[in-house]
Amino acid sequence: MNKAKIVTTENVEYPYNVQIWTSVDGNDWYYSGNGKFCKTLEEAESFANEIERW
């Protein structure tokens, strides 16, 4: 089970980081460094929606 969290960064070129959080039981969530840096909020939201459909 995966969920996405959009975090703002200090990077001017890629200000959004979509973090992929993973859980086996739905209670405890872990972030292992996976995700994608995005240029726009719209791009970040689109990627986050794809992650949560997996």
Side-chain angles (χ1 to χ4, degrees):
M1 175 182 300
N2 292 315
K3 68 178 180 180
K5 180 178 179 181
I6 300 173
V7 180
T8 56
T9 70
E10 295 181 10
N11 185 320
V12 176
E13 190 173 354
Y14 293 94
Y16 301 99
N17 179 12
V18 182
Q19 300 176 345
I20 301 172
W21 289 72
T22 305
S23 177
V24 176
D25 60 6
N27 294 318
D28 297 316
W29 293 89
Y30 302 95
Y31 174 62
S32 62
N34 295 321
K36 179 180 179 181
F37 288 94
C38 301
K39 290 186 175 187
T40 66
L41 181 57
E42 292 78 19
E43 179 186 5
E45 289 172 340
S46 176
F47 183 70
N49 288 333
E50 288 179 37
I51 297 304
E52 294 186 355
R53 282 192 293 242
W54 289 352

